[in-house]
């Protein structure tokens, strides 16, 4: 079966991810609907009379999946910004890579750029 | 699968200090959502409000989802957008848009057929013959998954090293078809998305049935890449980039499927004293 770890750990990681999201949104994370929903869901399913509770495992799995989603979206975006977001170099920068400078042509180039 | 969200792609100009009580909204562009809120209309279902305007799909239909948890998750996705709307990070929103708009006009049977078709070219059934390390790894990691699937669904799936792939008997396909038919259209769209990302029906069923977590399914799907990474080294801007993207998409697909196919009831038991 899936070794998901403890539900407390999942909940704390989820709250951490929600804090990242709320930092983007600019609001305190306790205002967010996701925080309220998670808190109620974890509280409601904490105590049941069954020893091996399938519903608890289902909820924990769903929480772990949502955590995976939030975390990987954030990491993916960070990697994208770090490596793939800059676009091409301009001609001046490309020439500057090898120490050359583009010529000054006050009369215009004579063809379309 | 091509997701079309062109109307949501507008970049927002730098933020000016707000002197007016409501944020200025210019033209057709979507201003940065101040607070994405879910709203329950009396007809049932849940809508999303961005800055007091209702969210619409790319084909201008009203954005309604059947589950509250899903609506909250979509609202959180919109809240996490900063300065520009990066719709490639909003996987749940794109999945909802696909179900609501259905741009490729697929009905339930076509979805199920497309999903079961992946079984013939399932990743965990395709084995290599060399190098020996990879053969061992595939045997140790993929065989338990196939055994679990065979036991769980009472079917026969083999693995093969030939280029044509394993020979899947028709009874297996029928079993999977009828099993997938028990999900509704929304959940099925999520399942089919997850299958297309993982390139494997068996691994997706493992995640949908909560047998393995998403990270493990992604690891098993990328087994050969992981083997090569361990051998030759990890390239962050390619390997990690693909890994996180695959994890995000698979997690979105399975979460979508679970949220759209569940119904929860709370039964309060009184303490007997």
């Amino acid at each position: 079966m899936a070794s998901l770890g403890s539900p407390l750990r999942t909940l704390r990681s989820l709250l951490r991810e929600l804090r990242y999201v709320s930092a983007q949104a600019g609001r305190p994370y306790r205002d967010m609907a996701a925080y309220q929903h998670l808190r109620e869901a974890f509280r409601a399913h904490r105590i049941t009379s069954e020893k091996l509770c399938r519903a608890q495992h289902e909820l924990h799995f769903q929480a772990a999946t949502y955590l995976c989603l939030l975390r990987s979206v954030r990491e993916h975006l960070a990697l994208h910004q770090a490596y793939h977001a800059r676009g091409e170099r301009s001609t001046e920068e490309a020439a500057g890579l090898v120490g050359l400078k583009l010529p000054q042509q006050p009369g215009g180039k004579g063809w379309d750029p | 699968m091509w997701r079309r969200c062109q109307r949501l792609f507008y970049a927002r100009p730098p933020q000016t200090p707000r002197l007016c009580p409501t944020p200025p909204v210019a033209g057709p562009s979507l201003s940065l959502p101040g607070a994405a809120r879910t709203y329950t209309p009396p007809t049932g279902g849940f809508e999303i409000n961005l800055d007091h305007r209702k969210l619409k799909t790319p084909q201008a239909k009203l954005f309604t989802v059947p589950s509250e948890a899903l609506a909250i998750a979509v609202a959180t996705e919109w809240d996490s957008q900063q300065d520009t709307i990066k719709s490639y990070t909003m996987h749940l929103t794109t999945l909802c848009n696909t179900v609501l708009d259905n741009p490729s006009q697929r009905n339930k049977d076509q979805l199920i057929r497309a999903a079961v078709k992946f079984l013939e070219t399932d990743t965990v059934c395709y084995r290599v013959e060399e190098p020996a390390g990879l053969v061992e790894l595939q045997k140790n990691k993929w065989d338990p998954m196939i055994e679990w699937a065979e036991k769980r669904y009472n079917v026969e799936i083999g693995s093969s090293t030939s280029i044509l792939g394993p020979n899947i008997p028709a009874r297996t396909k029928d079993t999977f078809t009828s099993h997938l038919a028990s999900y509704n259209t929304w959940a099925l769209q999520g399942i089919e998305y997850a299958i297309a990302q993982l390139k494997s029906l068996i691994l997706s069923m493992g995640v949908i049935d909560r047998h393995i977590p998403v990270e493990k399914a992604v690891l098993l799907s990328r087994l050969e890449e992981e083997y090569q990474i361990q051998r030759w080294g990890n390239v962050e801007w390619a390997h990690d980039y693909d890994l996180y993207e695959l994890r995000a998409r698979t997690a979105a697909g399975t979460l979508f499927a679970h949220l759209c196919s569940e119904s929860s009831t709370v039964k309060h038991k009184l303490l007997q004293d």
Side-chain angles (χ1 to χ4, degrees), chain A residues 1-4 18 21 23-25 27 31-35 37 44-45 49-50 54 57-59 61-73 75-77 79-81 83-84, chain B residues 34-38 68-69 72-73 76-77 79-82 86 88-89 91-92 207 210-215 236-238 240-241 244-245 247-248 251-252 254-255 258-259 262 266 269:
Chain A
M1 273 311 248
S3 54
L4 292 173
L18 280 186
V21 168
Q24 308 269 18
R27 295 181 292 140
D31 286 347
M32 302 180 70
Y35 174 73
H37 181 86
H45 290 82
S49 55
E50 300 157 48
R54 228 184 98 227
H57 175 71
E58 282 179 13
L59 176 68
F61 190 88
Q62 231 173 65
T65 310
Y66 190 43
L67 172 67
C68 179
L69 174 65
L70 287 176
R71 205 187 260 163
S72 15
V73 163
E75 304 266 358
H76 176 240
L77 194 59
L79 281 176
H80 185 83
Q81 294 296 107
Y83 291 111
H84 297 285
Chain B
R37 296 257 182 259
T38 59
E68 184 179 11
I72 293 177
T76 316
E77 269 184 354
D79 271 340
S80 65
Q81 303 302 315
Q82 186 195 43
K86 298 180 169 68
Y88 54 86
T89 56
H91 299 289
L92 291 174
V207 192
R210 301 179 181 94
H211 176 70
I212 48 173
V214 172
E215 287 93 346
E236 199 182 22
W237 51 263
D240 280 349
Y241 190 74
Y244 287 124
E245 189 174 16
R247 266 192 198 169
T254 65
L255 190 66
H258 283 154
L259 287 176
E262 70 173 5
V266 177
K269 288 183 174 171

